[in-house]
Amino acid sequence: MRKFSLAKDFNIVILIAIAFIALTYAMVIRMQLTGLNLQYDREAGEAANKLANDLSIIFNHINQVNKILGNQIIQKDPENLQFINQLIANERQHGPYRDLFSWSMLDWVAPDGKQLVNSLNGVNADPPDMSHREYVLKGQEQPWTLQLSHPAIGIPSGDWILPAGTGITDSEGKFLGVIALGMNINQLINRLSAGLNEKIDFLIVNEHGHIINQKKNPDYLKKMPQYLFRQGDYSGLTPEHQQFRGMKIFYQQTIENYPLTIFVGYQESLLKTELTSFV
């Protein structure tokens, strides 16, 4: 009888030991996963801030260049299309951000939306209508600031671009036209990706939910679901980690003075691989 009791006690001790080891292992795994999630949060936040800062620098510089060109046009003659053609063609060839633009690069667009001058094609004999671009209306309402339009196929480049423009007014406030351009989105994404952790994924969305592009999934969609946006001009962590286009979103960042939002996260397949390695 005593022998049976010892065997039973021994089995109980073994079970307790196994349970203790399992519990300790689970706690260690939990701590490691918590640490990994904190690392993801930190890296996503750092990447979002870097992306927003880099975009602001690019946009602000472009607007500054446009303002300089606009002032030269005012001083010379807003109706002198040959001068404007020479002016923007020179900027296309020598501007420091020329690699960001589609091959159409810079245009002079009249108040009625007609593209009078294109830096590659010169003065247009049959000006294409650009009045559908948001920068035409916004450039008149908010002159001397860079206004962004929906991503689109460039005219005449045929590239996937982010159209933008700076409205120009004279000293009396008369709207003269827009210095417009098309930023080649693939080149822009590549430039923004430089220096980021290779694991990081991000997508850029305008105020209407139109997707500019996504780093690791460049197929273009028309809109991002509204439920993924945090309310207002929110910038910060997104603890719910919503999944969209293969990416789990960890951070949302708005860009000051520009109607864009950056969503930063990681491809779900990568997260599963890293999390599985702990088990």
Side-chain angles (χ1 to χ4, degrees), residues 200-220:
I200 290 288
D201 193 8
F202 64 89
L203 58 86
I204 304 172
V205 181
N206 69 13
E207 76 271 35
H208 303 295
H210 292 94
I211 295 171
I212 308 301
N213 203 357
Q214 182 177 353
K215 177 187 173 187
K216 294 183 181 293
N217 188 2
D219 294 331
Y220 309 120

Side-chain angles (χ1 to χ4, degrees), residues 22 29 37 66 84 101 119 127 141 207 216 231 251 267 278:
I29 293 298
N37 276 307
N66 287 353
I84 295 174
F101 306 125
S119 59
E141 295 174 344
E207 76 271 35
K216 294 183 181 293
Q231 293 298 316
Y251 206 94
Q267 285 292 301
F278 282 100

Side-chain angles (χ1 to χ4, degrees), residues 89-194:
N90 182 67
E91 180 61 31
R92 177 185 184 275
Q93 293 175 0
H94 304 294
Y97 281 84
R98 60 188 180 276
D99 291 341
L100 285 176
F101 306 125
S102 69
W103 64 275
S104 62
M105 189 170 174
L106 285 171
D107 309 315
W108 175 245
V109 179
D112 64 358
K114 298 295 185 182
Q115 186 193 82
L116 300 180
V117 181
N118 172 268
S119 59
L120 184 69
N121 297 335
V123 178
N124 285 315
D126 184 18
D129 185 6
M130 311 298 290
S131 60
H132 59 287
R133 300 287 200 223
E134 287 184 296
Y135 59 66
V136 176
L137 177 60
K138 289 183 177 180
Q140 185 169 0
E141 295 174 344
Q142 303 176 57
W144 302 103
T145 61
L146 188 69
Q147 300 297 323
L148 307 178
S149 296
H150 297 323
I153 300 298
I155 301 172
S157 69
D159 294 333
W160 184 246
I161 65 168
L162 178 61
T166 302
I168 306 301
T169 57
D170 62 16
S171 58
E172 298 179 354
K174 179 183 178 182
F175 182 51
L176 304 175
V178 179
I179 299 287
L181 58 120
M183 285 175 269
N184 184 298
I185 289 177
N186 287 333
Q187 293 177 14
L188 179 62
I189 294 298
N190 288 339
R191 182 181 287 265
L192 292 173
S193 299

